[in-house]
Amino acid sequence: MGDKDRAFRNFLSDKVLFFQFLRRFLRFGTLEGVGLEDIELENVSFISQELVARESDVLYRIRRGGKETYVYILVEHQSSVDHLMPFRLLAYMVRIWERCVEEAGSKSRRKSYLLPPVIPVVFYDGMQKWTVASTFVEKVENGDAFAGFVPNFSYHLMVLGKRTSEELLAFRDALGGLLYLANPSKEEDLSMTVRRLLEYRKLLPPEEREILSRHFAGYLTILAKREGVDLSGMAEEIASEEEAEKMVTYVQREIRKIRKEGRLEGREEGRQEAMQESARKVLESARKMLSRGFDAAQVADVLDLPLEQVRALAESEGEKD
């Protein structure tokens, strides 16, 4: 199982985080009033051997008032979109219904027996634009002409790359912090991401900080690997604030070491361009923080910039206004 699969599996298998996801993104009237006690994580191995190998997708059964609803989340990491997605989803949904029939036994043959709803969700974290058909009938040749004979359904699509860092961090909960870390389109480099995460964590209530600390190690490992920081010796799951602080401190120290030793990959001109781009992003972050009311001292402390530089930036921004 890859780093991404492992990170998403740990994240989506947490009932509290799934509950937050459910309330924020899947606002179906029939699911209103659902509580944590109504949610049960299911094993997806019966659906497909492909899912056994990937181990990133999850299936939840929601029981309430004698009724059941299934939420199946398919995580799509591929750099290129899979245009057979509607067909894959239909195959997985049918397999879920087959198991429901098996569990119901002879009751399934009664007129009163109804199959439970299955809500398919595609969680896409790739950078390529999602151009896959949004309904199943679009994948059937001349499907509209056979309305009533061709199965038709849509799926809930969550394209993470369309969300800005500010939008995700505005959630002010563990879900927002984890989605921010997983977001492939954020402009911040690793050092800035770590700093923002530390500041964000301070704003959360204790129970949300605990959840975030428990799960962010997987995403931080992925981001760190891209910049040459090896976290293989660190814990995959963080159980306390102290362990989280230790990991973040280690990442920051390694980043400084890499920069000091000049171990950035590529030719010298590439290194210079990377450093200039990193500096530009830091200054852009400083401008955003100043525009949101942070004073120069706070910005300098969070972004590790000289105070005089931040004050000069604040004055120049003020002159523009």
Side-chain angles (χ1 to χ4, degrees):
M1 181 164 52
D3 291 337
K4 272 194 173 183
D5 282 339
R6 184 181 297 107
F8 269 90
R9 178 67 181 177
N10 291 339
F11 161 32
L12 293 172
S13 296
D14 189 308
K15 284 175 57 174
V16 175
L17 288 170
F18 171 73
F19 186 54
Q20 292 178 352
F21 182 85
L22 185 71
R23 289 188 300 176
R24 193 176 300 280
F25 298 111
L26 300 179
R27 298 175 180 173
F28 293 90
T30 55
L31 297 181
E32 287 190 11
V34 167
L36 274 173
E37 67 280 2
D38 304 315
I39 298 173
E40 181 180 350
L41 179 66
E42 298 285 304
N43 191 322
V44 299
S45 61
F46 73 92
I47 297 178
S48 166
Q49 286 301 309
E50 173 196 2
L51 302 186
V52 174
R54 286 172 19 132
E55 289 195 50
S56 57
D57 299 3
V58 297
L59 175 68
Y60 278 92
R61 185 194 310 224
I62 302 174
R63 291 189 175 100
R64 188 167 183 268
K67 304 291 184 181
E68 290 186 347
T69 301
Y70 287 85
V71 177
Y72 172 64
I73 303 180
L74 186 150
V75 180
E76 188 67 7
H77 293 311
Q78 298 183 77
S79 57
S80 59
V81 297
D82 181 0
H83 289 278
L84 269 180
M85 183 60 68
F87 176 74
R88 287 173 58 196
L89 288 172
L90 178 61
Y92 298 159
M93 292 165 69
V94 169
R95 188 64 192 95
I96 294 170
W97 280 319
E98 285 178 344
R99 194 185 69 161
C100 291
V101 170
E102 292 170 2
E103 290 180 345
S106 60
K107 293 181 181 178
S108 66
R109 293 190 289 273
R110 297 176 184 174
K111 182 179 180 180
S112 59
Y113 176 78
L114 298 176
L115 294 168
V118 177
I119 302 172
V121 178
V122 175
F123 196 110
Y124 178 57
D125 71 339
M127 290 298 294
Q128 184 174 325
K129 183 179 179 181
W130 186 264
T131 55
V132 178
S134 59
T135 61
F136 181 78
V137 75
E138 294 176 66
K139 288 301 295 179
V140 178
E141 186 175 0
N142 205 20
D144 289 336
F146 297 92
F149 297 95
V150 174
N152 195 22
F153 68 93
S154 58
Y155 54 92
H156 180 86
L157 176 63
M158 171 74 176
V159 179
L160 190 55
K162 285 186 176 181
R163 312 270 174 169
T164 66
S165 297
E166 284 67 30
E167 180 183 356
L168 295 172
L169 294 178
F171 290 175
R172 294 295 174 90
D173 57 20
L175 177 66
L178 291 170
L179 292 179
Y180 163 70
L181 282 173
N183 187 2
S185 65
K186 61 177 174 292
E187 295 183 353
E188 300 88 342
D189 62 9
L190 177 58
S191 181
M192 183 59 195
T193 296
V194 170
R195 293 191 185 107
R196 291 198 73 174
L197 184 67
L198 286 174
E199 289 302 307
Y200 179 75
R201 195 174 58 179
K202 295 176 183 177
L203 303 174
L204 302 180
E207 62 275 13
E208 293 294 331
R209 287 202 303 271
E210 192 275 331
I211 296 172
L212 180 60
S213 296
R214 193 165 67 235
H215 289 285
F216 80 77
Y219 296 108
L220 200 57
T221 298
I222 296 169
L223 295 175
K225 185 179 291 186
R226 293 173 184 168
E227 298 205 22
V229 179
D230 182 14
L231 295 181
S232 57
M234 308 294 285
E236 290 189 1
E237 294 188 12
I238 302 299
S240 67
E241 288 287 307
E242 290 75 19
E243 290 181 1
E245 196 70 39
K246 180 181 178 181
M247 173 172 278
V248 168
T249 301
Y250 175 79
V251 170
Q252 291 176 316
R253 185 172 63 245
E254 288 299 301
I255 292 173
R256 287 194 293 268
K257 185 188 298 183
I258 288 173
R259 290 174 177 172
K260 183 177 180 180
E261 296 175 358
R263 290 191 285 112
L264 294 177
E265 296 180 358
R267 294 172 297 180
E268 180 60 29
E269 58 192 77
R271 290 202 300 268
Q272 292 299 323
E273 290 176 0
M275 292 173 64
Q276 291 172 4
E277 179 63 14
S278 178
R280 184 193 68 78
K281 290 179 179 179
V282 171
L283 289 178
E284 182 61 29
S285 297
R287 291 190 181 93
K288 289 180 180 179
M289 291 183 69
L290 290 169
S291 68
R292 292 199 293 266
F294 287 86
D295 63 43
Q298 290 175 313
V299 175
D301 182 58
V302 171
L303 300 182
D304 197 22
L305 291 172
L307 180 57
E308 291 305 317
Q309 181 183 6
V310 178
R311 285 174 175 167
L313 182 63
E315 291 176 3
S316 65
E317 292 297 302
E319 291 173 359
K320 291 180 182 179
D321 296 339

